[in-house]
Amino acid sequence: MKITGKTRVLGIIGWPVTHSLSPVMHNAAFEYLGLDFCYVPFSVKEGCLDLAIRSIYALNIMGINVTIPHKESVVPYLSEISKEARIIGAVNTIKVVDDKLIGYNTDGIGFTTSLEEAGHPVGGRSLLILGGGGSAKAVVFQSAAEGAREIIIANRTVDKASLLRRQTETHFPSTRVDAIGVGYEELKGVIDRVDIVVNTTSIGLRIEDPSPVPKELLHQGLFICDLIYNPSETALTRYTKELGCQFINGIGMLLHQGGAAFKLWTDVEPPLEVMRKALEEAIGSLNGYKQAR
Ligand code: NAP
């Protein structure tokens, strides 16, 4: 990559941000398309968000991704936010238009596109969503927006699942929504009637983590998505493989949320296969990644 006086800068703000794979993915796309852009990680601590946002104007930055812990706290700084970001209450992509900062959230569309790509669109389906945090919100709202028939939210803190259920019912009254805990009997009571199970919890991030669903509750009729992509294999995806169920990990969601952000910034179709290969190589060099799709 050649940086010139004309190179336009994009990037990601978060803390920590050193683990982010977005620079690898976007820079591979810019290089492939011969675009004079570069994408940089910016480590922004919690108390520094205000300064960081003002720097977007000051440094003539073209667009920014936002990650933990700023996805929600960034909202008041923006001139406008898209409908999906408003409903989710969080922004992962900012586009600079003239002197305005416009916020979007591409996590949900990244999720549903990855399922569609795997041959399992969410429309008309029943989903069991494990977890009730930030990623669950994006997954639940986008699935409801795309016509999921039923969504069951199972979270350790049931109050959070119930709040997300009420919010979903308000915005998407035609989807049936339930909120339950993560106990064995509660999961057993619903798993036979769902088509798709999605792990949005952080269980699985550590190699030694158990599966968020006991193996004996899984069955061949399920399509499983684990949002975790590093490690590429979790206890959940290992069991899924052993049982012969179809599954994907979170690399597709990461790719497609990035592709949607790329399109917003550049108005150019993202070279998805180039971006996917860059991600797979980066994950592979981190921990001997074996593709799980
Ligand atoms: P978050 O807002 O912190 O939510 C974490 C969720 O995990 C909460 O529902 C929490 O339950 C649950 N949880 C954590 N430890 C648990 C335990 N020991 N037992 C039961 N439940 C537990 O995090 P997030 O931003 O949603 O991210 C969650 C996961 O999704 C992470 O692994 C992240 O890497 C992945 N992710 C992937 C992508 C992608 O592009 N593939 C995008 C975003 C996130 P409580 O509410 O009870 O605390």
Side-chain angles (χ1 to χ4, degrees):
M1 175 178 289
K2 233 190 200 166
I3 306 286
T4 71
K6 291 183 187 157
T7 304
R8 300 298 314 272
V9 178
L10 298 107
I12 180 164
I13 57 172
W15 183 273
V17 82
T18 45
H19 65 287
S20 173
L21 297 174
S22 293
V24 163
M25 168 169 66
H26 286 292
N27 286 321
F30 297 148
E31 204 170 335
Y32 176 78
L33 294 174
L35 296 174
D36 192 9
F37 298 154
C38 78
Y39 186 106
V40 186
F42 295 108
S43 292
V44 175
K45 289 184 193 165
E46 225 150 330
C48 297
L49 182 62
D50 177 52
L51 266 176
I53 294 295
R54 283 192 279 144
S55 306
I56 296 175
Y57 291 115
L59 300 174
N60 195 24
I61 289 170
M62 189 180 162
I64 281 285
N65 277 138
V66 185
T67 188
I68 290 166
H70 305 306
K71 281 184 169 187
E72 292 171 5
S73 45
V74 77
V75 170
Y77 294 97
L78 305 176
S79 326
E80 288 171 29
I81 63 170
S82 65
K83 186 178 168 207
E84 82 288 338
R86 195 172 56 248
I87 294 174
I88 298 168
V91 158
N92 79 333
T93 302
I94 299 172
K95 179 175 178 171
V96 184
V97 180
D98 301 325
D99 56 353
K100 284 188 181 158
L101 297 183
I102 307 185
Y104 301 87
N105 194 309
T106 65
D107 283 335
I109 196 77
F111 166 74
T112 53
T113 307
S114 72
L115 259 70
E116 209 174 306
E117 182 180 67
H120 293 271
V122 296
R125 314 299 285 280
S126 172
L127 286 85
L128 170 61
I129 308 296
L130 305 164
S135 58
K137 245 184 182 181
V139 162
V140 167
F141 290 153
Q142 188 66 31
S143 300
E146 293 188 21
R149 175 169 47 83
E150 177 185 38
I151 299 176
I152 302 159
I153 305 157
N155 197 39
R156 177 178 61 178
T157 310
V158 183
D159 283 353
K160 270 168 72 179
S162 300
L163 176 62
L164 183 50
R165 185 198 73 209
R166 289 195 294 277
Q167 291 169 330
T168 312
E169 285 169 343
T170 304
H171 293 290
F172 306 100
S174 46
T175 298
R176 186 199 146 125
V177 194
D178 247 325
I180 61 171
V182 291
Y184 185 90
E185 290 301 326
E186 284 166 291
L187 295 178
K188 187 172 182 221
V190 298
I191 200 127
D192 283 341
R193 71 169 198 258
V194 302
D195 308 302
I196 297 170
V197 177
V198 186
N199 177 34
T200 76
T201 76
S202 35
I203 306 172
L205 279 177
R206 291 171 309 177
I207 294 277
E208 66 275 17
D209 280 351
S211 166
V213 185
K215 187 176 181 183
E216 60 270 31
L217 292 184
L218 298 171
H219 58 84
Q220 275 204 342
L222 296 170
F223 178 73
I224 310 269
C225 173
D226 195 333
L227 295 198
I228 293 172
Y229 51 84
N230 184 24
S232 56
E233 183 169 276
T234 59
L236 175 62
T237 57
R238 192 169 59 251
Y239 292 161
T240 306
K241 224 190 264 182
E242 285 165 10
L243 289 166
C245 308
Q246 282 185 284
F247 72 99
I248 53 171
N249 70 9
I251 198 166
M253 174 170 172
L254 178 67
L255 169 71
H256 289 291
Q257 64 75 30
F262 184 98
K263 180 86 198 282
L264 282 167
W265 293 323
T266 63
D267 232 357
V268 172
E269 282 306 319
L272 291 170
E273 287 315 310
V274 171
M275 295 163 83
R276 189 195 307 273
K277 187 162 172 271
L279 283 176
E280 287 173 352
E281 280 172 7
I283 295 171
S285 66
L286 286 177
N287 65 356
Y289 171 73
K290 286 203 190 77
Q291 206 175 330
R293 65 183 183 93

